[in-house]
Amino acid sequence: MRGGRRGPAATPRRPRTATRRTTAAAGAATVALLAAACGGGGGGDAGAGAVLSSSWGDPQNPLEPANTNEVQGGKVLDMIFRNLKKYDPKTGEAKDMLAEKIETTDSQNFRITVKDGWKFSNGEPVTARSFVDAWNYGASLKNNQKNAYFFQYIEGYDKTHPESGSQSADTLSGLRLVDDRTFTVKLTQKFSTFPDTLGYNAYAPLPRAFFDDHDAWVAKPVGNGPYQVESYAKGSQMTLRKWDGYTGPDKARNGGVDLKVYTDNATAYNDLMSGNLDLVDDIPASQLKNAPADLGDRYINTPAGILQTLAFPFYDPQWNKPGMEKVRKGLSMAIDRQQITETIFQKTRTPATDWTSPVLGEEGGFREGFCGESCEYKPEEARKLIEEGGGLPGGRVRITFNADTGSHRDWVEAVCNSINRALGQGKACVPNPVGTFADYRNQISDRKMPGPFRAGWQMDYPLIQNFLQPLYYTNASSNDGKWSNEEFDDWVDKANAESDTGTAVDNFLKAEEVVRDEMAAIPLWYQNGSAGYSERLSDVALNPFSVPVYDRIKVG
């Protein structure tokens, strides 16, 4: 499954290649300007009716669930939609929300029953058809939805979204509507943890209004969650207000949220400190050393399901010839992760010791120290392994990254300095900046990486599968380095076919062993979520995806 999100900022988000329809984009751009107040509170009464203000950035695309794959748009979808499953804001566990039950006897055919009584905020009932229609829309090549790949394991996806040519079907043959509250899903292969993926917003239900007047819906999205979109002014603010008709178990504890657009998180931080903003969920790197003293217990620094790695261009024979696994391991051992995370990131990153994330926990597949000494700083061993592997291709490593946003230049330079010290060569490693994220992604897509390149992964759902299969399975959607290993693929297939979660995790760990032994990518560090908030707020927390749990926040 493709999963994960990548982007130009410090928080990695996955790129997509699909394009949007101009009518939808135009609809979003012509929304009326907001009338909401500026300032820390954004107006509102004290208590449950009070409104908070939070830093934000304009979404890349209109807020269609199957077309939103970046952080800022995802925040809004998390507020205005509830799906079949919901990820626990503390543990990340996938718990039933609109799903009354999801049944299977073979981990390939699923019967889903939707709870009765749920409604969209326009009064429409949420039915099984709300999901079937939404998933068919998302999977259709005609609609160019960036999250279409989430439906790729449903039978018929090859007809609705072929790799080339025009689609030959408008609906997925694996989706069958049984009655108002029941539908079935047939997958092309066994996928035991498929139900746990259904908390991701690509699988959100859609009302008939979405299809009847698409442009109107895009201009003012209608969902079934605890908040409603009141208005949106691109480049300025999105106003969301508590939906009083929401009947779910997680009603909003505040009156709403004013999402204020900032193009510079340093400005947002200054507004927080001056009392003009309530919440910043991305502390700028320049303030990380000051935030604990500035904010005290109102500073949040907590692990998130985000991993930074260095990927390799395995399509380049120089990086894929026999013995190069030693070179890759040597480079990993030449990186002083501890020093870099302490000096560059002020301990908002933790040196990685596996290819997943600590937020999964032991039961979910995280194993501290799984990488072993290959992820420890051992300069002498690093030199030895690189020599045994035949040396650096061309005698030099160029680490490619996008230089337009985030702090990538700082850490790439630090990584190169560490490698150069370990190898005793001043130019063994050099940064290779690419001006913009778009150009960077184009070079990756065109297979033009000259060596290691930065790769980040933020989980879509808290499963070990999501950290392995999208990135390393042969021809997987986010396998940017085009690594391929039959043994790895076999273990992933076995894991997906297991109905017992524990056995599935064990098989995924066997797959991860292959990644480790071949050093398919170098794990660098786990990224924490960082946030700060005003004295007006309480019960502020970030979920395992590093997103504020807005509906739990109290104001005043």
Side-chain angles (χ1 to χ4, degrees), residues 99-235:
E100 183 172 291
K101 53 186 175 181
I102 301 176
E103 303 167 291
T104 185
T105 58
D106 60 4
S107 298
Q108 187 169 355
N109 293 274
F110 297 85
R111 183 181 178 91
I112 299 174
T113 304
V114 180
K115 289 179 181 177
D116 195 16
W118 279 79
K119 293 184 181 297
F120 293 101
S121 60
N122 65 355
E124 287 186 41
V126 182
T127 66
R129 183 184 177 190
S130 306
F131 290 96
V132 171
D133 286 351
W135 295 9
N136 278 324
Y137 181 89
S140 173
L141 181 63
K142 295 176 183 177
N143 298 322
N144 290 323
Q145 300 290 280
K146 293 184 179 296
N147 286 332
Y149 54 86
F150 273 93
F151 308 103
Q152 66 180 331
Y153 288 130
I154 299 177
E155 188 177 77
Y157 182 79
D158 59 333
K159 302 293 192 299
T160 65
H161 206 106
E163 292 186 6
S164 61
S166 301
Q167 66 188 69
S168 57
D170 292 329
T171 59
L172 294 160
S173 59
L175 289 182
R176 297 292 183 185
L177 190 63
V178 177
D179 55 43
D180 282 350
R181 293 179 52 210
T182 312
F183 68 103
T184 60
V185 184
K186 183 177 183 180
L187 305 182
T188 56
Q189 65 180 68
K190 292 180 182 294
F191 188 7
S192 60
T193 52
F194 173 70
D196 289 342
T197 71
L198 299 179
Y200 186 62
N201 282 318
Y203 298 108
L206 288 170
R208 289 308 309 165
F210 176 89
F211 305 96
D212 294 341
D213 192 344
H214 184 259
D215 288 350
W217 189 96
V218 167
K220 191 173 184 180
V222 173
N224 65 323
Y227 293 95
Q228 298 180 86
V229 174
E230 187 173 280
S231 55
Y232 173 41
K234 186 176 177 63

Side-chain angles (χ1 to χ4, degrees), residues 243-266:
W243 176 33
D244 291 331
Y246 180 69
T247 57
D250 52 345
K251 294 177 182 290
R253 295 179 179 178
N254 50 69
V257 182
D258 289 340
L259 295 174
K260 296 173 174 288
V261 175
Y262 287 87
T263 57
D264 180 6
N265 57 358

Side-chain angles (χ1 to χ4, degrees), residues 420-492:
N420 290 335
R421 286 195 306 271
L423 302 186
Q425 302 176 37
K427 293 293 184 179
C429 177
V430 294
N432 182 41
V434 176
T436 67
F437 180 67
D439 288 342
Y440 175 70
R441 286 305 312 175
N442 286 336
Q443 289 189 25
I444 288 176
S445 298
D446 294 339
R447 302 187 182 189
K448 292 182 178 179
M449 290 294 103
F453 55 98
R454 83 155 190 97
W457 189 255
Q458 179 170 358
M459 65 181 185
D460 295 308
Y461 39 83
L463 296 175
I464 184 174
Q465 177 266 350
N466 191 236
F467 281 93
L468 296 177
Q469 186 167 354
L471 296 164
Y472 307 113
Y473 197 88
T474 300
N475 294 324
S477 54
S478 288
N479 188 347
D480 289 335
K482 305 305 175 185
W483 184 68
S484 180
N485 185 285
E486 186 176 349
E487 183 182 2
F488 173 86
D489 292 352
D490 288 345
W491 280 116
V492 168

Side-chain angles (χ1 to χ4, degrees), residues 152-428:
Q152 66 180 331
Y153 288 130
I154 299 177
E155 188 177 77
Y157 182 79
D158 59 333
K159 302 293 192 299
T160 65
H161 206 106
E163 292 186 6
S164 61
S166 301
Q167 66 188 69
S168 57
D170 292 329
T171 59
L172 294 160
S173 59
L175 289 182
R176 297 292 183 185
L177 190 63
V178 177
D179 55 43
D180 282 350
R181 293 179 52 210
T182 312
F183 68 103
T184 60
V185 184
K186 183 177 183 180
L187 305 182
T188 56
Q189 65 180 68
K190 292 180 182 294
F191 188 7
S192 60
T193 52
F194 173 70
D196 289 342
T197 71
L198 299 179
Y200 186 62
N201 282 318
Y203 298 108
L206 288 170
R208 289 308 309 165
F210 176 89
F211 305 96
D212 294 341
D213 192 344
H214 184 259
D215 288 350
W217 189 96
V218 167
K220 191 173 184 180
V222 173
N224 65 323
Y227 293 95
Q228 298 180 86
V229 174
E230 187 173 280
S231 55
Y232 173 41
K234 186 176 177 63
S236 176
Q237 181 171 302
M238 176 173 281
T239 299
L240 296 109
R241 292 295 178 262
K242 177 182 179 180
W243 176 33
D244 291 331
Y246 180 69
T247 57
D250 52 345
K251 294 177 182 290
R253 295 179 179 178
N254 50 69
V257 182
D258 289 340
L259 295 174
K260 296 173 174 288
V261 175
Y262 287 87
T263 57
D264 180 6
N265 57 358
T267 303
Y269 186 83
N270 290 337
D271 279 356
L272 171 66
M273 296 309 300
S274 62
N276 293 318
L277 188 67
D278 286 318
L279 174 61
V280 173
D281 66 349
D282 183 17
I283 303 293
S286 60
Q287 296 292 349
L288 289 174
K289 62 181 180 296
N290 302 320
D294 288 346
L295 297 165
D297 59 5
R298 291 180 288 110
Y299 169 59
I300 298 174
N301 178 24
T302 185
I306 305 172
L307 176 69
Q308 188 80 49
T309 67
L310 286 179
F312 291 92
F314 288 94
Y315 46 80
D316 183 343
Q318 291 191 95
W319 284 101
N320 202 18
K321 61 186 178 183
M324 286 305 292
E325 72 280 356
K326 292 184 177 181
V327 174
R328 296 190 294 270
K329 289 180 182 178
L331 287 171
S332 177
M333 298 172 78
I335 299 171
D336 192 342
R337 295 165 176 80
Q338 191 67 42
Q339 183 186 59
I340 294 171
T341 54
E342 289 180 358
T343 58
I344 301 294
F345 295 113
Q346 301 293 312
K347 298 183 179 180
T348 59
R349 309 288 189 275
T350 304
T353 62
D354 85 328
W355 285 260
T356 68
S357 167
V359 302
L360 295 181
E362 286 277 337
E363 291 186 0
F366 170 69
R367 294 291 186 272
E368 186 174 359
F370 190 85
C371 183
E373 67 175 10
S374 293
C375 288
E376 297 174 9
Y377 180 57
K378 294 191 171 185
E380 291 184 6
E381 185 66 18
R383 289 195 296 271
K384 179 181 177 183
L385 280 173
I386 291 173
E387 290 174 3
E388 290 179 356
L392 300 176
R396 177 178 293 183
V397 170
R398 299 167 64 194
I399 298 179
T400 306
F401 65 100
N402 60 291
D404 50 352
T405 57
S407 57
H408 302 314
R409 182 182 295 275
D410 292 342
W411 70 255
V412 170
E413 288 180 350
V415 165
C416 274
N417 288 338
S418 181
I419 292 173
N420 290 335
R421 286 195 306 271
L423 302 186
Q425 302 176 37
K427 293 293 184 179

